[in-house]
């Protein structure tokens, strides 16, 4: 079954590709991506309603799950890794990490691929 990119998913993809990705810095020595954004910050900047008890789950319901699945099905890099937990400044274990298993890749590689990808046709 093919996933359709919802309006919420497309808005989130546009936000990540245009606002967050240009400032992201992959630091392989520290094993992190600098200048990512937290789940709560995404809600605030996009003025999204809180739909769950956690910011991560709420963002999934506000288009993140749809966008991540659509991006995967399109064989595009996992740009959703630009959204991190505020506590660890890394992707959520329950969401992004299982996605990386499906990609057979890792966080830093997918962000580097995202930086090389022309997102214009999709946003």
């Amino acid at each position: 079954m093919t996933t359709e990119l919802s309006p919420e998913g497309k808005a989130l993809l546009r936000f990540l590709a245009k606002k967050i990705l240009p400032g992201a810095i992959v630091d392989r020595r520290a094993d992190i991506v600098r200048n990512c954004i937290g789940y709560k910050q995404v809600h605030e900047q996009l003025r999204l309603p809180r739909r769950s008890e956690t910011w991560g789950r709420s963002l999934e319901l506000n288009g993140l799950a749809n966008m991540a699945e659509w991006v995967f099905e399109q064989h595009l890099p996992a740009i959703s890794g630009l959204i991190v937990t505020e506590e660890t400044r890394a992707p959520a274990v329950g969401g992004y990490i299982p996605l990386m298993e499906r990609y057979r890749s890792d966080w830093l590689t997918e962000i580097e691929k995202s930086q090389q990808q022309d997102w214009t046709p999709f946003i």
Side-chain angles (χ1 to χ4, degrees):
M1 182 172 151
T2 303
T3 302
E4 293 282 332
L5 185 60
S6 69
E8 295 87 359
K10 187 169 187 171
L12 187 54
L13 178 59
R14 184 181 312 109
F15 173 74
L16 291 175
K18 291 183 120 182
K19 302 289 185 190
I20 307 304
L21 187 60
I25 300 169
V26 175
D27 184 343
R28 286 205 171 266
R29 286 190 290 161
D31 198 33
I32 62 169
V33 179
R34 301 187 190 282
N35 303 328
C36 291
I37 190 166
Y39 293 97
K40 183 180 179 184
Q41 292 172 295
V42 174
H43 278 82
E44 293 169 348
Q45 290 195 27
L46 294 179
R47 296 186 175 108
L48 300 173
R50 187 162 182 180
R51 294 183 172 170
S52 183
E53 67 284 348
T54 66
W55 292 111
R57 178 69 182 132
S58 179
L59 195 54
E60 287 177 5
L61 297 171
N62 275 300
L64 178 60
N66 168 262
M67 183 207 74
E69 187 63 29
W70 183 85
V71 165
F72 177 78
E73 289 177 7
Q74 300 301 311
H75 307 286
L76 295 167
I79 193 171
S80 59
L82 292 170
I83 305 171
V84 297
T85 64
E86 282 80 4
E87 299 81 28
T88 66
R89 302 309 297 168
V93 173
Y96 193 75
I97 303 307
L99 182 61
M100 288 302 84
E101 291 171 5
R102 289 175 63 198
Y103 269 88
R104 298 180 185 203
S105 186
D106 64 83
W107 178 35
L108 302 182
T109 299
E110 290 303 308
I111 299 305
E112 288 172 334
K113 288 178 181 178
S114 293
Q115 291 172 323
Q116 296 165 5
Q117 175 68 49
D118 178 9
W119 293 98
T120 308
F122 310 107
I123 57 174

